[in-house]
Amino acid sequence: INEYKSRLAGYKGEKSLDFYLSMLPEEKYLIFHHLRLPLGIYYFQIDILLLTTTFGLILEVKNRIGEYHFKKYLNQTTIQTPGKEERIPNPVLQAKLQALKLSKWLKKHHFGEYPIYYQFVNSNEKALIRVEQGNEKILRFICNSEGLVEKINQTANMNQKEKLNQKELRKLKRLLLASHTPDN
């Protein structure tokens, strides 16, 4: 029952981002939810993937109540709720790993020069994010859902050189959808 609650919270968190993602120009952004792609003998799953002709952006979405603490030591992340603190996988590192895997997947499919960025998005408005002193550089890869459009626009402003034309982007879209393998 805990895994079900966790998946439901994740789903709700991602759905809550639809409001913000709907503000992006449709003609410019392709948006994929829950892509699961093969890489070697394993699969990797991406919560949300945005594609444009100039860059791709992976969003790792979390919807948990509590206080996230991004510690410098071992790049650990904990979440604190009343009376309890637990270590969780660092969502920034999760997103970074997905970006590395997607880049490798793209190279394998001859889309090698396409930049992939990543972002952890906290979609729970009751959650707090705290970053330990000395670890501030991680803040570039973290935002709350209401700051997402601004982060996307910053990434777009830094990436104005077209890497894929519209035809190549459509080809990539078809390839991603054909390669997607839902988890049981």
Side-chain angles (χ1 to χ4, degrees), residues 46-61:
I46 298 169
D47 288 347
I48 297 175
L49 172 64
L50 303 179
L51 295 180
T52 72
T53 56
T54 59
F55 70 94
L57 177 65
I58 287 176
L59 304 178
E60 179 66 31
V61 184

Side-chain angles (χ1 to χ4, degrees), residues 125-143:
E125 59 187 37
K126 291 187 173 28
L128 284 173
I129 295 175
R130 300 207 189 279
V131 175
E132 194 174 75
Q133 190 174 353
N135 199 24
E136 292 87 358
K137 66 183 188 297
I138 203 168
L139 285 168
R140 280 193 322 218
F141 308 104
I142 298 173
C143 70

